[in-house]
Amino acid sequence: MSRAAATLRAVASPDPSPAAPVVRLEDLLEKVARGDEAAFAEVFTRASGPVHGLVRRVLRDPAQSEEVTQEVMLNVWRSATRFDAAQGSAMAWIMTMAHRRAVDRVRSEQSATDRVRRLGGREVLPAFDEVAETVEIHLEREAVRRCLTSLTDLQRESIDLAYYAGKSYREVSELLDVPLGTVKTRMRDGLIRLRDCLGVTA
């Protein structure tokens, strides 16, 4: 987490200006399903904070919580076409996805720990499926880390603030002392760059 994001704990100043009409998250997801990057940027801003909070409560580990949050938001982009408003709200759909991913991570970590205890130091080769799954998860995490380093400082800090602090565009603008329009543009460009770097398609 960046230094700017770390200092947010000491900031408690909600935006007092009147809010503009808010587009429903359900409508935004429909646009995301059609490949609308701007709509995804707005979904990202609204949902990443709550997602990170839920994941952190389940995992407790800060580093793993950040990784799972990134994975969940990436999956929102990938699977937006599967969202069905008739089955519930958009936020409930995203939070359910986040909870499942967090629980899967807990189970994966627990399984690895149990295997080590079971083996008791014996040299036993794990099954191919276990190796393949471990490698796939590791590669996905490394890809996210690598792609984040390809962003500019402003893009990375803006996304960091939106992800882990749940800040709005205006709050990010004030915290970084950057014009609001610039923040929106940089975040959108940063998300598109992450998407392209990770090879994600709508």
Side-chain angles (χ1 to χ4, degrees), residues 59 64 104-114 141:
L59 295 179
Q64 289 202 42
D104 286 345
R105 176 64 66 88
V106 170
R107 289 173 177 167
S108 176
E109 293 293 325
Q110 186 60 50
S111 294
T113 300
D114 290 346
R141 294 179 193 170

Side-chain angles (χ1 to χ4, degrees), residues 1-108:
M1 186 177 296
S2 70
R3 182 176 300 175
T7 63
L8 290 174
R9 305 298 179 187
V11 178
S13 53
D15 185 1
S17 59
V22 178
V23 180
R24 295 190 321 142
L25 202 55
E26 289 75 13
D27 296 332
L28 288 171
L29 274 180
E30 288 184 10
K31 294 181 179 181
V32 173
R34 297 193 293 269
D36 189 323
E37 290 97 348
F40 177 66
E42 182 63 25
V43 171
F44 182 100
T45 300
R46 293 194 203 176
S48 57
V51 165
H52 183 257
L54 172 62
V55 171
R56 181 67 183 272
R57 287 194 295 274
V58 175
L59 295 179
R60 301 184 182 276
D61 180 87
Q64 289 202 42
S65 297
E66 292 178 7
E67 289 176 357
V68 172
T69 298
Q70 293 167 355
E71 293 166 6
V72 170
M73 296 310 297
L74 182 61
N75 201 41
V76 169
W77 171 266
R78 285 173 168 167
S79 60
T81 54
R82 300 176 191 169
F83 171 67
D84 183 0
Q87 301 297 318
S89 71
M91 185 59 79
W93 180 71
I94 294 172
M95 296 301 277
T96 297
M97 188 187 306
H99 185 263
R100 287 175 178 169
R101 194 74 179 235
V103 170
D104 286 345
R105 176 64 66 88
V106 170
R107 289 173 177 167
S108 176

Side-chain angles (χ1 to χ4, degrees), residues 158-169:
S158 297
I159 290 174
D160 199 28
L161 290 173
Y163 247 135
Y164 306 121
K167 296 297 180 182
S168 67
Y169 286 126

Side-chain angles (χ1 to χ4, degrees), residues 126-199:
F128 174 79
D129 287 347
E130 293 176 4
V131 175
E133 180 182 1
T134 301
V135 170
E136 182 178 356
I137 291 173
H138 176 72
L139 289 176
E140 185 176 62
R141 294 179 193 170
E142 289 302 312
V144 171
R145 291 195 186 102
R146 173 174 53 79
C147 291
L148 282 172
T149 63
S150 72
L151 304 182
T152 66
D153 289 342
L154 179 56
Q155 288 171 340
R156 190 164 50 251
E157 284 194 319
S158 297
I159 290 174
D160 199 28
L161 290 173
Y163 247 135
Y164 306 121
K167 296 297 180 182
S168 67
Y169 286 126
R170 187 176 299 279
E171 289 169 326
V172 172
S173 170
E174 292 174 352
L175 288 165
L176 297 181
D177 194 22
V178 175
L180 179 60
T182 301
V183 167
K184 290 183 177 181
T185 300
R186 294 296 181 270
M187 280 191 63
R188 179 176 179 275
D189 291 346
L191 290 171
I192 293 173
R193 182 179 292 187
L194 278 177
R195 181 202 65 183
D196 292 344
C197 179
L198 291 166

